Amino acid sequence: GAVVSQHPSWVICKSGTSVKIECRSLDFQATTMFWYRQFPKQSLMLMATSNEGSKATYEQGVEKDKFLINHASLTLSTLTVTSAHPEDSSFYICSASGAGATGELFFGEGSRLTVL
Amino acid sequence: DQQVKQNSPSLSVQEGRISILNCDYTNSMFDYFLWYKKYPAEGPTFLISISSIKDKNEDGRFTVFLNKSAKHLSLHIVPSQPGDSAVYFCAASAQNRDDKIIFGKGTRLHILP
């Protein structure tokens, strides 16, 4: 089956720094990628939807200037958490779907961000 | 090694009947289970969840059953409606370890008229 890889799987950074998380589709072209944030004891929260070559569509309440999403190619999307704060500490998970997909979605393994 | 398995890639059910989607897991540390529903070209939306301290959780037409000894959960939809046609993802996490959510590969449900 299709594989979506996230890197890094975990990262620790200091408050005020920026962190980039990559999401790659390894064996298919992902026209659409989704970024989620997981809160403790809660389900995933969709942060944004990104389509290759266009600006990401952010969900209400998600700061687009803080969570920069780039989907420059059909196999790579990046999420950059800018000026990270301890409250940004969380799991960030991406998923990807291919061209013409009728619902198939493949999830990455997640990236755990800890901001000190 | 898949920790969350949905062995049926697709399922067809007559409108008005019961849809049963199955999910198996291997990690005994999982204590929180979720179902997500996804329409084409949209992100998945949360449907229903269950904690391992329960064996059943019901929300309207949707009921999730958990069998911890068998490491198996199922989602029942009754009665099935045309709008239920979608891909359903089973997911699990070890909340007591503040661990990430692990997803199954999904089951495509077709509701037949």
Side-chain angles (χ1 to χ4, degrees):
Chain A
V3 176
V4 173
S5 176
Q6 279 185 243
H7 177 81
S9 56
W10 59 270
V11 57
I12 300 172
C13 70
K14 291 183 178 180
S15 187
T17 61
S18 295
V19 173
K20 180 185 285 187
I21 300 170
E22 294 185 346
C23 177
R24 291 181 185 274
S25 56
L26 298 185
D27 50 3
F28 70 103
Q29 294 185 326
T31 52
T32 305
M33 287 187 170
F34 302 92
W35 284 96
Y36 313 85
R37 180 173 175 176
Q38 178 187 340
F39 291 93
K41 301 191 185 301
Q42 296 182 32
S43 58
L44 293 185
M45 179 194 80
L46 178 65
M47 299 174 66
T49 302
S50 75
N51 292 295
E52 185 267 336
S54 60
K55 288 184 178 180
T57 302
Y58 289 81
E59 297 298 305
Q60 192 172 8
V62 178
E63 299 176 61
K64 61 181 180 181
D65 294 329
K66 179 167 182 64
F67 298 99
L68 301 177
I69 291 173
N70 183 281
H71 191 166
S73 79
L74 285 171
T75 59
L76 174 65
S77 177
T78 60
L79 166 67
T80 302
V81 182
T82 62
S83 186
H85 290 136
E87 55 264 34
D88 297 328
S89 298
S90 187
F91 274 111
Y92 292 87
I93 298 174
C94 74
S95 65
S97 63
T102 55
E104 286 186 310
L105 191 67
F106 306 97
F107 287 88
E109 316 97 321
S111 299
R112 181 166 195 157
L113 170 64
T114 301
V115 184
L116 303 177
Chain B
D1 182 34
Q2 273 187 275
Q3 296 187 66
V4 177
K5 300 178 185 179
Q6 292 177 258
N7 292 319
S8 298
S10 68
L11 175 68
S12 295
V13 175
Q14 206 75 34
E15 182 179 354
R17 298 289 188 100
I18 182 171
S19 295
I20 301 176
L21 296 103
N22 293 303
C23 178
D24 297 293
Y25 61 96
T26 58
N27 189 341
S28 58
M29 297 300 294
F30 287 149
D31 59 1
Y32 189 60
F33 305 89
L34 313 95
W35 284 93
Y36 287 80
K37 176 180 180 179
K38 184 190 177 302
Y39 292 117
E42 296 182 12
T45 55
F46 170 72
L47 197 56
I48 192 169
S49 64
I50 188 167
S51 165
S52 61
I53 62 174
K54 295 185 176 182
D55 53 20
K56 176 182 174 182
N57 187 25
E58 190 172 350
D59 182 5
R61 297 186 298 114
F62 302 92
T63 303
V64 56
F65 294 92
L66 175 63
N67 182 334
K68 289 186 290 292
S69 60
K71 293 191 176 68
H72 176 85
L73 64 154
S74 60
L75 174 68
H76 292 212
I77 306 172
V78 55
S80 299
Q81 298 175 355
D84 297 330
S85 293
V87 178
Y88 290 80
F89 292 91
C90 170
S93 73
Q95 293 284 308
N96 58 357
R97 296 174 58 186
D98 191 25
D99 220 348
K100 62 185 176 183
I101 291 179
I102 306 293
F103 283 83
K105 292 193 180 298
T107 297
R108 187 188 311 279
L109 176 64
H110 298 277
I111 303 302
L112 305 171

